[in-house]
Amino acid sequence: MAAAYFFREFQDNQQRTLNQAVEAYRAYLEAVEAGRPLKGGMHWKKIKGREYLYRYRDRYGRGSSLGPRSPHTERLWDEFGRQRRETAARLSARRQHLAEAARFCRAALIHRVPQPVIRILRSLPSGDLSAAPLLVIDAHALHAFEFAAGVFIEAPRDSGLLAGAASGLTLAAAAEVSPDAFLRLLRQADRSYDILPGDGYAAVNQQGFQVRLLPPPTAPSGHRMMVRNAPGLTVPDESGDLAALMAAPKFSQVVIGRRGDPVTMTVPDPRALALHLLWLSQRQDREPAARARDRVQAAALAELILRYLPQYHFFSAELQLFPAEVARLAENLVEGYEVAADLDAE
């Protein structure tokens, strides 16, 4: 196992830098959200010799009249202008803080996630699909757990841990998404995306970065077992098809892009994803190289959970699904926790 990957824990300054970037990012999002009610604008419109105050809410000018010019509508006009100026100033300041945080992230060497992924994730909140969030379910999802745990999973180039991650992204939809909506979403991130011929749910940009969207799965079948401390987390007897993965609780984490910019990534529960990757590694219809990569990713994620995310627990029956060295690690960690607890009790 050690030859396939190892964990590099964040240094204190790296963790502080990440925490500060997360705070700056959340403050920026709060400023953006505060400005949403002010989207659009106001203007005076003259009709039959009288002026009326109109409030419009989009770039097409859709809105309604607030009434003829009067002391009341003039106060509305003045108040709206004041709020717009204050909001713009606040947003500008938060954007500057965010840019400064990005520089610190680059200096601290915690800029990790490829920019094509960051740009797509950034487009999700304002995209057509915001009501039905898309989940990252491929190797890029490991980044969410890295930043949550404060470690980076490092591996030799020939380990296969992140094979293919630099050239593509796989998303899964919790609700129906049309190919047109999918393409509009991608083009908010990069206007060069085009749908691949014959597949409305796969697209590629000019740099060759491919994005695939998996449609909502059918309900899983077969015996299901419950995972401790997560009532909504279930997996089928085979250790994880897409339906079980999408039914699992969601996990959101701020991650840092290659340019230092933070963004929120939403992924499945780490245990569900680890089991899903392991299930993929056992499918005979996958290429041997892909199965080997899935196995390494599943083992790395399981070990990360055991070492650094102890709030997530595997059942012993689930651990038996993983490589023997992962199960042994779990047993050793449990023994270590029991010894520590006994010493604390003394």
Short mmCIF file of all heavy atoms in Angstrom, two decimals, residues 44-102:
data_model
loop_
_atom_site.label_atom_id
_atom_site.label_comp_id
_atom_site.label_asym_id
_atom_site.label_seq_id
_atom_site.Cartn_x
_atom_site.Cartn_y
_atom_site.Cartn_z
N TRP A 44 -36.79 56.02 -14.16
CA TRP A 44 -38.00 56.80 -14.34
C TRP A 44 -38.44 56.70 -15.79
O TRP A 44 -37.63 56.80 -16.70
CB TRP A 44 -37.76 58.27 -13.97
CG TRP A 44 -37.44 58.49 -12.52
CD1 TRP A 44 -36.23 58.68 -11.97
CD2 TRP A 44 -38.38 58.52 -11.45
NE1 TRP A 44 -36.31 58.83 -10.62
CE2 TRP A 44 -37.65 58.74 -10.26
CE3 TRP A 44 -39.77 58.39 -11.35
CZ2 TRP A 44 -38.24 58.84 -9.01
CZ3 TRP A 44 -40.37 58.49 -10.11
CH2 TRP A 44 -39.60 58.71 -8.94
N LYS A 45 -39.74 56.48 -15.98
CA LYS A 45 -40.29 56.35 -17.32
C LYS A 45 -41.45 57.34 -17.50
O LYS A 45 -42.35 57.39 -16.67
CB LYS A 45 -40.79 54.91 -17.53
CG LYS A 45 -41.26 54.61 -18.93
CD LYS A 45 -41.62 53.13 -19.05
CE LYS A 45 -42.04 52.76 -20.46
NZ LYS A 45 -42.39 51.31 -20.56
N LYS A 46 -41.38 58.11 -18.58
CA LYS A 46 -42.39 59.14 -18.82
C LYS A 46 -43.49 58.57 -19.70
O LYS A 46 -43.25 58.07 -20.79
CB LYS A 46 -41.75 60.35 -19.50
CG LYS A 46 -42.59 61.62 -19.39
CD LYS A 46 -41.76 62.83 -19.78
CE LYS A 46 -42.52 64.10 -19.48
NZ LYS A 46 -41.71 65.31 -19.80
N ILE A 47 -44.73 58.64 -19.19
CA ILE A 47 -45.90 58.15 -19.92
C ILE A 47 -46.99 59.21 -19.88
O ILE A 47 -47.45 59.60 -18.80
CB ILE A 47 -46.43 56.83 -19.32
CG1 ILE A 47 -45.33 55.75 -19.32
CG2 ILE A 47 -47.67 56.35 -20.06
CD1 ILE A 47 -45.76 54.47 -18.66
N LYS A 48 -47.37 59.70 -21.08
CA LYS A 48 -48.42 60.72 -21.19
C LYS A 48 -48.16 61.90 -20.28
O LYS A 48 -49.05 62.39 -19.57
CB LYS A 48 -49.79 60.10 -20.89
CG LYS A 48 -50.21 59.04 -21.89
CD LYS A 48 -51.60 58.50 -21.57
CE LYS A 48 -52.03 57.45 -22.59
NZ LYS A 48 -53.38 56.91 -22.31
N GLY A 49 -46.93 62.35 -20.30
CA GLY A 49 -46.57 63.55 -19.57
C GLY A 49 -46.29 63.35 -18.10
O GLY A 49 -45.92 64.31 -17.41
N ARG A 50 -46.46 62.12 -17.56
CA ARG A 50 -46.19 61.87 -16.14
C ARG A 50 -45.04 60.88 -16.00
O ARG A 50 -44.87 59.97 -16.82
CB ARG A 50 -47.42 61.31 -15.44
CG ARG A 50 -48.61 62.27 -15.40
CD ARG A 50 -49.69 61.73 -14.47
NE ARG A 50 -49.26 61.74 -13.07
CZ ARG A 50 -49.99 61.25 -12.07
NH1 ARG A 50 -51.18 60.70 -12.33
NH2 ARG A 50 -49.56 61.30 -10.84
N GLU A 51 -44.24 61.06 -14.96
CA GLU A 51 -43.11 60.15 -14.71
C GLU A 51 -43.52 59.06 -13.72
O GLU A 51 -44.16 59.35 -12.70
CB GLU A 51 -41.91 60.92 -14.16
CG GLU A 51 -41.17 61.73 -15.20
CD GLU A 51 -39.88 62.30 -14.66
OE1 GLU A 51 -39.94 62.92 -13.58
OE2 GLU A 51 -38.83 62.10 -15.29
N TYR A 52 -43.13 57.84 -14.05
CA TYR A 52 -43.40 56.68 -13.20
C TYR A 52 -42.07 55.99 -12.88
O TYR A 52 -41.16 55.93 -13.71
CB TYR A 52 -44.33 55.69 -13.89
CG TYR A 52 -45.73 56.21 -14.12
CD1 TYR A 52 -46.01 57.04 -15.20
CD2 TYR A 52 -46.76 55.88 -13.24
CE1 TYR A 52 -47.29 57.53 -15.41
CE2 TYR A 52 -48.05 56.36 -13.45
CZ TYR A 52 -48.31 57.18 -14.53
OH TYR A 52 -49.59 57.67 -14.73
N LEU A 53 -41.99 55.47 -11.66
CA LEU A 53 -40.79 54.74 -11.25
C LEU A 53 -41.01 53.26 -11.56
O LEU A 53 -41.97 52.65 -11.09
CB LEU A 53 -40.53 54.92 -9.75
CG LEU A 53 -39.27 54.23 -9.20
CD1 LEU A 53 -38.01 54.76 -9.88
CD2 LEU A 53 -39.17 54.43 -7.68
N TYR A 54 -40.09 52.71 -12.36
CA TYR A 54 -40.17 51.31 -12.73
C TYR A 54 -39.02 50.53 -12.09
O TYR A 54 -37.89 51.00 -12.07
CB TYR A 54 -40.12 51.13 -14.24
CG TYR A 54 -41.48 51.17 -14.89
CD1 TYR A 54 -42.13 52.38 -15.10
CD2 TYR A 54 -42.13 50.00 -15.28
CE1 TYR A 54 -43.39 52.43 -15.68
CE2 TYR A 54 -43.38 50.03 -15.86
CZ TYR A 54 -44.02 51.24 -16.06
OH TYR A 54 -45.25 51.28 -16.64
N ARG A 55 -39.37 49.36 -11.57
CA ARG A 55 -38.37 48.44 -11.01
C ARG A 55 -38.26 47.26 -11.96
O ARG A 55 -39.23 46.53 -12.19
CB ARG A 55 -38.83 47.95 -9.63
CG ARG A 55 -37.95 46.86 -9.01
CD ARG A 55 -36.67 47.44 -8.47
NE ARG A 55 -35.98 46.50 -7.61
CZ ARG A 55 -35.10 45.60 -8.01
NH1 ARG A 55 -34.80 45.50 -9.30
NH2 ARG A 55 -34.51 44.80 -7.15
N TYR A 56 -37.08 47.09 -12.58
CA TYR A 56 -36.88 45.94 -13.46
C TYR A 56 -35.88 44.98 -12.81
O TYR A 56 -34.99 45.39 -12.08
CB TYR A 56 -36.41 46.37 -14.85
CG TYR A 56 -35.11 47.15 -14.89
CD1 TYR A 56 -33.90 46.51 -15.10
CD2 TYR A 56 -35.10 48.54 -14.72
CE1 TYR A 56 -32.71 47.21 -15.14
CE2 TYR A 56 -33.91 49.26 -14.75
CZ TYR A 56 -32.73 48.59 -14.96
OH TYR A 56 -31.55 49.29 -14.99
N ARG A 57 -36.04 43.69 -13.12
CA ARG A 57 -35.31 42.65 -12.39
C ARG A 57 -34.41 41.78 -13.26
O ARG A 57 -33.80 40.84 -12.75
CB ARG A 57 -36.31 41.76 -11.64
CG ARG A 57 -37.00 42.52 -10.51
CD ARG A 57 -38.08 41.69 -9.83
NE ARG A 57 -38.61 42.39 -8.67
CZ ARG A 57 -39.49 43.36 -8.73
NH1 ARG A 57 -39.96 43.77 -9.90
NH2 ARG A 57 -39.91 43.97 -7.63
N ASP A 58 -34.34 42.03 -14.54
CA ASP A 58 -33.45 41.26 -15.40
C ASP A 58 -33.01 42.12 -16.57
O ASP A 58 -33.47 43.25 -16.74
CB ASP A 58 -34.11 39.95 -15.88
CG ASP A 58 -35.41 40.18 -16.63
OD1 ASP A 58 -35.51 41.20 -17.35
OD2 ASP A 58 -36.33 39.37 -16.50
N ARG A 59 -32.13 41.54 -17.39
CA ARG A 59 -31.57 42.31 -18.50
C ARG A 59 -32.57 42.57 -19.61
O ARG A 59 -32.32 43.38 -20.50
CB ARG A 59 -30.37 41.56 -19.07
CG ARG A 59 -30.70 40.18 -19.60
CD ARG A 59 -29.47 39.50 -20.14
NE ARG A 59 -29.76 38.15 -20.61
CZ ARG A 59 -28.85 37.36 -21.19
NH1 ARG A 59 -27.61 37.79 -21.32
NH2 ARG A 59 -29.18 36.16 -21.59
N TYR A 60 -33.71 41.90 -19.56
CA TYR A 60 -34.75 42.11 -20.56
C TYR A 60 -35.72 43.21 -20.17
O TYR A 60 -36.67 43.50 -20.90
CB TYR A 60 -35.52 40.81 -20.81
CG TYR A 60 -34.63 39.68 -21.26
CD1 TYR A 60 -34.31 38.64 -20.39
CD2 TYR A 60 -34.09 39.65 -22.54
CE1 TYR A 60 -33.48 37.60 -20.78
CE2 TYR A 60 -33.26 38.61 -22.95
CZ TYR A 60 -32.96 37.59 -22.06
OH TYR A 60 -32.14 36.58 -22.46
N GLY A 61 -35.49 43.81 -19.02
CA GLY A 61 -36.35 44.91 -18.57
C GLY A 61 -37.65 44.48 -17.95
O GLY A 61 -38.54 45.31 -17.74
N ARG A 62 -37.80 43.20 -17.64
CA ARG A 62 -39.05 42.75 -17.02
C ARG A 62 -39.15 43.29 -15.60
O ARG A 62 -38.20 43.22 -14.83
CB ARG A 62 -39.12 41.22 -17.02
CG ARG A 62 -39.36 40.61 -18.40
CD ARG A 62 -39.66 39.13 -18.28
NE ARG A 62 -38.44 38.39 -17.98
CZ ARG A 62 -37.79 37.62 -18.88
NH1 ARG A 62 -38.25 37.53 -20.11
NH2 ARG A 62 -36.70 36.98 -18.52
N GLY A 63 -40.30 43.80 -15.25
CA GLY A 63 -40.51 44.36 -13.93
C GLY A 63 -41.90 44.93 -13.80
O GLY A 63 -42.84 44.48 -14.46
N SER A 64 -42.03 45.95 -12.98
CA SER A 64 -43.35 46.54 -12.75
C SER A 64 -43.20 47.98 -12.30
O SER A 64 -42.13 48.42 -11.86
CB SER A 64 -44.11 45.75 -11.68
OG SER A 64 -43.38 45.73 -10.47
N SER A 65 -44.28 48.73 -12.41
CA SER A 65 -44.31 50.13 -11.99
C SER A 65 -44.50 50.22 -10.48
O SER A 65 -45.28 49.46 -9.89
CB SER A 65 -45.44 50.86 -12.71
OG SER A 65 -45.59 52.16 -12.17
N LEU A 66 -43.78 51.14 -9.87
CA LEU A 66 -43.93 51.40 -8.43
C LEU A 66 -44.79 52.62 -8.16
O LEU A 66 -44.98 52.99 -7.01
CB LEU A 66 -42.56 51.58 -7.79
CG LEU A 66 -41.61 50.37 -7.89
CD1 LEU A 66 -40.28 50.67 -7.23
CD2 LEU A 66 -42.23 49.12 -7.30
N GLY A 67 -45.29 53.23 -9.23
CA GLY A 67 -46.19 54.37 -9.07
C GLY A 67 -45.62 55.64 -9.67
O GLY A 67 -44.46 55.71 -10.07
N PRO A 68 -46.46 56.69 -9.78
CA PRO A 68 -46.01 57.97 -10.34
C PRO A 68 -45.03 58.66 -9.40
O PRO A 68 -44.92 58.32 -8.21
CB PRO A 68 -47.31 58.76 -10.48
CG PRO A 68 -48.21 58.16 -9.44
CD PRO A 68 -47.87 56.71 -9.37
N ARG A 69 -44.31 59.62 -9.97
CA ARG A 69 -43.34 60.36 -9.14
C ARG A 69 -44.07 61.04 -8.00
O ARG A 69 -45.07 61.74 -8.18
CB ARG A 69 -42.60 61.39 -9.98
CG ARG A 69 -41.52 62.14 -9.19
CD ARG A 69 -40.84 63.20 -10.03
NE ARG A 69 -39.88 62.63 -10.96
CZ ARG A 69 -38.60 62.39 -10.67
NH1 ARG A 69 -38.13 62.64 -9.45
NH2 ARG A 69 -37.80 61.89 -11.59
N SER A 70 -43.53 60.85 -6.80
CA SER A 70 -44.11 61.41 -5.58
C SER A 70 -43.03 61.38 -4.52
O SER A 70 -41.97 60.76 -4.72
CB SER A 70 -45.33 60.59 -5.13
OG SER A 70 -44.91 59.29 -4.72
N PRO A 71 -43.25 62.00 -3.36
CA PRO A 71 -42.25 61.89 -2.30
C PRO A 71 -41.95 60.43 -1.94
O PRO A 71 -40.81 60.08 -1.63
CB PRO A 71 -42.91 62.63 -1.13
CG PRO A 71 -43.77 63.66 -1.79
CD PRO A 71 -44.31 62.97 -3.02
N HIS A 72 -42.98 59.58 -2.01
CA HIS A 72 -42.78 58.17 -1.67
C HIS A 72 -41.88 57.48 -2.69
O HIS A 72 -40.91 56.80 -2.30
CB HIS A 72 -44.14 57.46 -1.62
CG HIS A 72 -44.02 55.97 -1.48
ND1 HIS A 72 -43.53 55.36 -0.35
CD2 HIS A 72 -44.32 54.95 -2.36
CE1 HIS A 72 -43.53 54.05 -0.50
NE2 HIS A 72 -44.00 53.78 -1.72
N THR A 73 -42.17 57.60 -3.99
CA THR A 73 -41.35 56.93 -4.99
C THR A 73 -39.96 57.55 -5.08
O THR A 73 -38.99 56.85 -5.39
CB THR A 73 -42.04 56.97 -6.36
OG1 THR A 73 -42.38 58.33 -6.69
CG2 THR A 73 -43.29 56.12 -6.38
N GLU A 74 -39.81 58.84 -4.78
CA GLU A 74 -38.48 59.45 -4.77
C GLU A 74 -37.64 58.88 -3.63
O GLU A 74 -36.44 58.68 -3.77
CB GLU A 74 -38.60 60.97 -4.66
CG GLU A 74 -39.09 61.62 -5.95
CD GLU A 74 -39.19 63.13 -5.84
OE1 GLU A 74 -39.08 63.65 -4.70
OE2 GLU A 74 -39.39 63.78 -6.88
N ARG A 75 -38.31 58.61 -2.48
CA ARG A 75 -37.58 57.96 -1.38
C ARG A 75 -37.15 56.54 -1.78
O ARG A 75 -36.04 56.10 -1.45
CB ARG A 75 -38.44 57.93 -0.12
CG ARG A 75 -38.56 59.26 0.60
CD ARG A 75 -39.12 59.10 2.01
NE ARG A 75 -40.48 58.56 1.98
CZ ARG A 75 -41.57 59.31 1.89
NH1 ARG A 75 -41.47 60.65 1.83
NH2 ARG A 75 -42.77 58.76 1.89
N LEU A 76 -38.05 55.84 -2.48
CA LEU A 76 -37.69 54.51 -2.96
C LEU A 76 -36.48 54.56 -3.89
O LEU A 76 -35.57 53.74 -3.81
CB LEU A 76 -38.88 53.87 -3.70
CG LEU A 76 -40.09 53.48 -2.86
CD1 LEU A 76 -41.19 52.93 -3.77
CD2 LEU A 76 -39.71 52.45 -1.80
N TRP A 77 -36.48 55.54 -4.77
CA TRP A 77 -35.37 55.73 -5.71
C TRP A 77 -34.07 56.00 -4.98
O TRP A 77 -33.03 55.40 -5.27
CB TRP A 77 -35.73 56.87 -6.66
CG TRP A 77 -34.60 57.41 -7.48
CD1 TRP A 77 -33.86 58.51 -7.21
CD2 TRP A 77 -34.09 56.87 -8.70
NE1 TRP A 77 -32.91 58.71 -8.19
CE2 TRP A 77 -33.04 57.71 -9.12
CE3 TRP A 77 -34.41 55.78 -9.48
CZ2 TRP A 77 -32.30 57.48 -10.28
CZ3 TRP A 77 -33.69 55.55 -10.65
CH2 TRP A 77 -32.65 56.38 -11.03
N ASP A 78 -34.12 56.92 -4.01
CA ASP A 78 -32.91 57.27 -3.25
C ASP A 78 -32.40 56.09 -2.43
O ASP A 78 -31.19 55.82 -2.38
CB ASP A 78 -33.19 58.46 -2.33
CG ASP A 78 -33.43 59.76 -3.10
OD1 ASP A 78 -33.00 59.83 -4.27
OD2 ASP A 78 -34.05 60.68 -2.54
N GLU A 79 -33.32 55.37 -1.78
CA GLU A 79 -32.93 54.22 -0.95
C GLU A 79 -32.33 53.11 -1.79
O GLU A 79 -31.33 52.49 -1.39
CB GLU A 79 -34.15 53.70 -0.18
CG GLU A 79 -33.88 52.49 0.69
CD GLU A 79 -32.91 52.77 1.82
OE1 GLU A 79 -32.65 53.95 2.10
OE2 GLU A 79 -32.41 51.79 2.42
N PHE A 80 -32.93 52.85 -2.96
CA PHE A 80 -32.39 51.82 -3.82
C PHE A 80 -30.98 52.18 -4.28
O PHE A 80 -30.08 51.32 -4.28
CB PHE A 80 -33.31 51.64 -5.05
CG PHE A 80 -32.87 50.53 -5.97
CD1 PHE A 80 -33.18 49.21 -5.68
CD2 PHE A 80 -32.16 50.80 -7.12
CE1 PHE A 80 -32.79 48.18 -6.52
CE2 PHE A 80 -31.77 49.78 -7.97
CZ PHE A 80 -32.08 48.47 -7.67
N GLY A 81 -30.76 53.43 -4.64
CA GLY A 81 -29.43 53.85 -5.05
C GLY A 81 -28.41 53.72 -3.94
O GLY A 81 -27.27 53.29 -4.17
N ARG A 82 -28.82 54.08 -2.71
CA ARG A 82 -27.91 53.96 -1.57
C ARG A 82 -27.54 52.50 -1.33
O ARG A 82 -26.36 52.17 -1.13
CB ARG A 82 -28.57 54.54 -0.32
CG ARG A 82 -27.68 54.50 0.92
CD ARG A 82 -28.46 54.90 2.17
NE ARG A 82 -29.52 53.93 2.47
CZ ARG A 82 -29.31 52.75 3.05
NH1 ARG A 82 -28.08 52.39 3.40
NH2 ARG A 82 -30.32 51.94 3.29
N GLN A 83 -28.53 51.62 -1.35
CA GLN A 83 -28.26 50.20 -1.13
C GLN A 83 -27.36 49.63 -2.23
O GLN A 83 -26.46 48.83 -1.95
CB GLN A 83 -29.57 49.42 -1.07
CG GLN A 83 -30.41 49.73 0.16
CD GLN A 83 -31.70 48.93 0.18
OE1 GLN A 83 -32.01 48.19 -0.76
NE2 GLN A 83 -32.47 49.08 1.25
N ARG A 84 -27.58 50.04 -3.46
CA ARG A 84 -26.75 49.56 -4.56
C ARG A 84 -25.31 49.99 -4.38
O ARG A 84 -24.37 49.20 -4.60
CB ARG A 84 -27.29 50.06 -5.90
CG ARG A 84 -28.54 49.39 -6.39
CD ARG A 84 -28.24 47.98 -6.91
NE ARG A 84 -27.41 48.00 -8.10
CZ ARG A 84 -27.89 48.01 -9.33
NH1 ARG A 84 -29.20 47.98 -9.54
NH2 ARG A 84 -27.08 48.02 -10.36
N ARG A 85 -25.08 51.23 -3.98
CA ARG A 85 -23.71 51.73 -3.79
C ARG A 85 -23.02 51.00 -2.65
O ARG A 85 -21.85 50.60 -2.76
CB ARG A 85 -23.72 53.24 -3.54
CG ARG A 85 -24.11 54.08 -4.75
CD ARG A 85 -23.87 55.55 -4.49
NE ARG A 85 -24.74 56.06 -3.43
CZ ARG A 85 -25.98 56.53 -3.63
NH1 ARG A 85 -26.50 56.53 -4.85
NH2 ARG A 85 -26.70 57.00 -2.63
N GLU A 86 -23.74 50.81 -1.53
CA GLU A 86 -23.14 50.12 -0.39
C GLU A 86 -22.84 48.66 -0.74
O GLU A 86 -21.78 48.13 -0.36
CB GLU A 86 -24.10 50.19 0.81
CG GLU A 86 -24.22 51.59 1.41
CD GLU A 86 -25.18 51.61 2.58
OE1 GLU A 86 -25.83 50.56 2.84
OE2 GLU A 86 -25.28 52.66 3.23
N THR A 87 -23.75 48.01 -1.44
CA THR A 87 -23.54 46.61 -1.81
C THR A 87 -22.37 46.47 -2.76
O THR A 87 -21.55 45.55 -2.63
CB THR A 87 -24.82 46.04 -2.46
OG1 THR A 87 -25.89 46.10 -1.51
CG2 THR A 87 -24.61 44.61 -2.91
N ALA A 88 -22.27 47.38 -3.72
CA ALA A 88 -21.16 47.33 -4.68
C ALA A 88 -19.82 47.52 -3.97
O ALA A 88 -18.84 46.84 -4.27
CB ALA A 88 -21.35 48.38 -5.76
N ALA A 89 -19.78 48.45 -3.01
CA ALA A 89 -18.54 48.70 -2.27
C ALA A 89 -18.16 47.48 -1.43
O ALA A 89 -16.99 47.09 -1.37
CB ALA A 89 -18.69 49.93 -1.39
N ARG A 90 -19.15 46.89 -0.78
CA ARG A 90 -18.89 45.70 0.04
C ARG A 90 -18.41 44.54 -0.83
O ARG A 90 -17.44 43.84 -0.48
CB ARG A 90 -20.15 45.30 0.79
CG ARG A 90 -19.95 44.13 1.75
CD ARG A 90 -21.25 43.70 2.42
NE ARG A 90 -21.94 44.81 3.02
CZ ARG A 90 -23.11 45.28 2.60
NH1 ARG A 90 -23.70 44.74 1.55
NH2 ARG A 90 -23.68 46.29 3.21
N LEU A 91 -19.06 44.34 -1.96
CA LEU A 91 -18.67 43.25 -2.84
C LEU A 91 -17.27 43.46 -3.39
O LEU A 91 -16.48 42.51 -3.50
CB LEU A 91 -19.68 43.13 -3.98
CG LEU A 91 -19.53 41.92 -4.90
CD1 LEU A 91 -19.62 40.62 -4.12
CD2 LEU A 91 -20.59 41.97 -6.00
N SER A 92 -16.93 44.69 -3.72
CA SER A 92 -15.59 44.98 -4.22
C SER A 92 -14.53 44.68 -3.17
O SER A 92 -13.49 44.08 -3.46
CB SER A 92 -15.50 46.44 -4.66
OG SER A 92 -14.19 46.78 -5.07
N ALA A 93 -14.81 45.06 -1.91
CA ALA A 93 -13.86 44.80 -0.83
C ALA A 93 -13.70 43.30 -0.59
O ALA A 93 -12.58 42.79 -0.43
CB ALA A 93 -14.31 45.49 0.45
N ARG A 94 -14.83 42.57 -0.62
CA ARG A 94 -14.76 41.12 -0.40
C ARG A 94 -14.03 40.43 -1.55
O ARG A 94 -13.31 39.45 -1.33
CB ARG A 94 -16.18 40.54 -0.26
CG ARG A 94 -16.98 41.13 0.90
CD ARG A 94 -16.59 40.54 2.23
NE ARG A 94 -17.22 41.22 3.35
CZ ARG A 94 -18.45 40.97 3.79
NH1 ARG A 94 -19.19 40.04 3.21
NH2 ARG A 94 -18.93 41.63 4.82
N ARG A 95 -14.21 40.94 -2.75
CA ARG A 95 -13.52 40.36 -3.91
C ARG A 95 -12.01 40.57 -3.79
O ARG A 95 -11.21 39.68 -4.13
CB ARG A 95 -14.05 40.98 -5.19
CG ARG A 95 -13.60 40.27 -6.46
CD ARG A 95 -14.22 40.88 -7.69
NE ARG A 95 -15.63 40.54 -7.82
CZ ARG A 95 -16.62 41.40 -7.76
NH1 ARG A 95 -16.37 42.68 -7.55
NH2 ARG A 95 -17.87 41.01 -7.91
N GLN A 96 -11.60 41.73 -3.29
CA GLN A 96 -10.18 41.99 -3.08
C GLN A 96 -9.61 41.06 -2.01
O GLN A 96 -8.49 40.55 -2.15
CB GLN A 96 -9.97 43.46 -2.69
CG GLN A 96 -10.24 44.43 -3.82
CD GLN A 96 -10.07 45.89 -3.38
OE1 GLN A 96 -9.57 46.16 -2.29
NE2 GLN A 96 -10.49 46.80 -4.23
N HIS A 97 -10.36 40.85 -0.92
CA HIS A 97 -9.91 39.93 0.13
C HIS A 97 -9.77 38.52 -0.43
O HIS A 97 -8.83 37.79 -0.07
CB HIS A 97 -10.91 39.94 1.29
CG HIS A 97 -10.95 41.23 2.04
ND1 HIS A 97 -12.01 41.61 2.84
CD2 HIS A 97 -10.06 42.26 2.09
CE1 HIS A 97 -11.77 42.80 3.35
NE2 HIS A 97 -10.60 43.21 2.92
N LEU A 98 -10.68 38.15 -1.31
CA LEU A 98 -10.63 36.82 -1.90
C LEU A 98 -9.40 36.67 -2.80
O LEU A 98 -8.74 35.63 -2.79
CB LEU A 98 -11.91 36.57 -2.70
CG LEU A 98 -12.23 35.13 -3.09
CD1 LEU A 98 -12.35 34.25 -1.85
CD2 LEU A 98 -13.51 35.08 -3.91
N ALA A 99 -9.10 37.70 -3.55
CA ALA A 99 -7.91 37.66 -4.41
C ALA A 99 -6.63 37.57 -3.57
O ALA A 99 -5.69 36.85 -3.93
CB ALA A 99 -7.86 38.90 -5.31
N GLU A 100 -6.62 38.28 -2.45
CA GLU A 100 -5.46 38.20 -1.55
C GLU A 100 -5.33 36.81 -0.95
O GLU A 100 -4.23 36.25 -0.86
CB GLU A 100 -5.60 39.24 -0.44
CG GLU A 100 -4.42 39.28 0.52
CD GLU A 100 -4.58 40.33 1.60
OE1 GLU A 100 -5.65 40.97 1.65
OE2 GLU A 100 -3.64 40.51 2.40
N ALA A 101 -6.47 36.21 -0.56
CA ALA A 101 -6.45 34.85 -0.02
C ALA A 101 -5.93 33.86 -1.06
O ALA A 101 -5.20 32.92 -0.72
CB ALA A 101 -7.84 34.45 0.45
N ALA A 102 -6.28 34.07 -2.33
CA ALA A 102 -5.81 33.19 -3.39
C ALA A 102 -4.29 33.26 -3.52
O ALA A 102 -3.62 32.23 -3.73
CB ALA A 102 -6.48 33.56 -4.71
#
